[in-house]
Amino acid sequence: MSTPSSSIESVLVENRVFEPSAATVASARISGMPAYEALCAEAAKDPQAFWARLARENLGWHKPFTQVLDDSQKPFYKWFADGQINASWNCLDRHIGTPVENKTAIVFEADDGAVTRVTYKELLARVSQFANTLKAMGVQQGDRVVIYMPMTIEGVVAMQACARIGATHSVVFGGFSAKALQERIQDAGAVAVITANYQMRGGKELPLKAIVDEGIAMGGCESIKKVIVFQRTPTACNMVAGRDVLWHEAIAGQSTECAPTFVGAEHPLFVLYTSGSTGKPKGVQHSTGGYLLWARLTMLWTFDLKPEDVFWCTADIGWITGHTYVAYGPLAAGATQVVFEGVPTYPNAGRFWQMIEKHKVTIFYTAPTAIRSLIKAAEGDEKVHPKNWNLDSLRLLGSVGEPINPEAWMWYHRHVGHERCPIVDTFWQTETGGHMITPLPGATPLVPGSCTLPLPGIEAAIVDEQGNDVPNGSGGILVVKKPWPSMIRTIWGDPERFKKSYFPEELKGYYLAGDGAVRSADRGYFRITGRIDDVLNVSGHRMGTMEIESALVAKTDLVAEAAVVGRPDDLTGEAIVAFVVLKRARPTGDEAKALAKELRDWVGKEIGPIAKPKDIRFGDNLPKTRSGKIMRRLLRAIAKGEAITQDVSTLENPAILEQLAQNN
Ligand code: WT7
């Protein structure tokens, strides 16, 4: 083992390798590299037989499928299409009559530390009761239901109840603004919103229902017939007569038994909005059968889940990670999981470590941005260093959402995993439904900063702009060459955009992930180098640059033009930098500061706090070509504080560069 001399070098040449221990290999479901390779070979030889076998072994089918893949309308692939299934049955009912029925399904820890537990049997009763409530309100199979809730058992119940009656849920993260919520309600044509009066974050009570009211009042939400309000805190909230009903009042008297509605495997289980390279978020539509297969299987493969495990994924249900690895995967696999409402830094930055100790967590899955902020906190204050807690229960660590830098990886490995726990660096996306490229704990030798190799059946590759394979060691475009069951089915209401975004003609029909990647020369391991489109990754949250630009120019009294780029950031991975031309003279000094704050708050209102630019710079103009195209690569260099060494000969107004570089 050699220690690289600098962080830059460590990213480029990472030669530390961590082999799985003999004991881990021996006990693993996929035991050793030969077992992994055998599965890959099985998938390559006859993909349909491979996926059919897994779908039969892993899911309970109400009516068995006879067809595996239907590619007659590619890229609108269908999987197991004539099979009938229910996701909630597969997460709950299937465990009844087995030892899992009395096992704890969810250990819920609230922001203030209060703990609530539910068993599988109890969860089934709660989901069924809420499913009956939805039905009684007129929610039908195929209807869309928006869920705008904090992390709660009820949030999971709401998702599962929709699945149970064949309604398609669309969860909107509780940090999104009224405007963002309204756009999603409207795009999805939702018939109901399930929300809470307030949410608790870091000891603060923050409104949710008031934001729902504000969003609906913006118009275009006439499809909404009902708003169900879970009372998270005792504080009263506004209730609209005839439309709004309190959760606990609505469920009263409803039966705790509800026969699941079996749907075709392709039935949309959910639509989840994510950012793309245009101003409008895309509603990523997922299936029921294919999605659920991968949610369960990756729990068994990537996390090598054992009956006695206590699994904790820290993601919010508002993101895909919270769908696949909180609301569906752990339940479909019969796991005991921790669900957490609060934030990693409250009451102090030892919260995660304290919770791991308290709940004897064995598998811990979080984001690099959280790890980096906890490293910083631990380095600044001994008292919140993980060494203060007993983390012996841990056996496996995971990372998700953005590239993990080798330094953070090593710290996680040493101070959380005590050099004993493998780290699975899982690369995937909202669109992929579940893990794509990831180590397997009992097989794959680990290299810090690399997501290593694709899961069996996933034909990931790196190609050039014509779709030709590039050799290991050269960077290129990450694609997936063959369809897989949990892939995105379409963009809700916009099949053309789906085709254009993910299956561009130049790429031979491959799925375009939108990331750049490189494979190591020696092992062929993948390392993700970041997005190649106009999408930013800020603290593991996906943001479209155009989305933020649209929000800025929507402030029509002030803003004439805006361009948004990303800048590398030690803590958040990337930071948002906005270059803004105002409709008045370029401000400087205190005026610039005040206007920057005004614009930041405006973006927070338009999209949500996560979209607020870290840095706003004002210019008389933006660097443009003679044909009027904004030269973003120059803006990226300026944002990084780099000297402009690039060709500026096509630039209409070179003097602007200096102004933007100086302006702060
Ligand atoms: C984008 C997808 C994966 C679920 C949460 C985020 C980046 C994700 C990794 C990783 C490097 C990663 C990619 C991807 N990303 N995981 N392990 N290593 N980059 O889902 O919001 O759809 O974002 O996150 O850039 O395209 P998402």
Side-chain angles (χ1 to χ4, degrees), residues 274 320-321 399-404 425-431 451 513 515 528 530-531 537 540-542:
T274 190
I320 190 68
T321 311
S399 171
V400 57
E402 53 182 317
I404 180 164
D425 175 0
T426 60
F427 167 83
W428 59 295
Q429 310 175 292
T430 304
E431 293 88 342
C451 52
D515 283 287
I528 307 299
R531 300 288 305 193
N537 193 326
H541 296 147
R542 200 163 138 178

Side-chain angles (χ1 to χ4, degrees), residues 117-132:
R117 289 186 172 78
V118 279
T119 65
Y120 273 89
K121 214 180 195 170
E122 289 160 352
L123 190 60
L124 171 61
R126 286 171 70 164
V127 167
S128 299
Q129 187 175 40
F130 194 65
N132 284 327

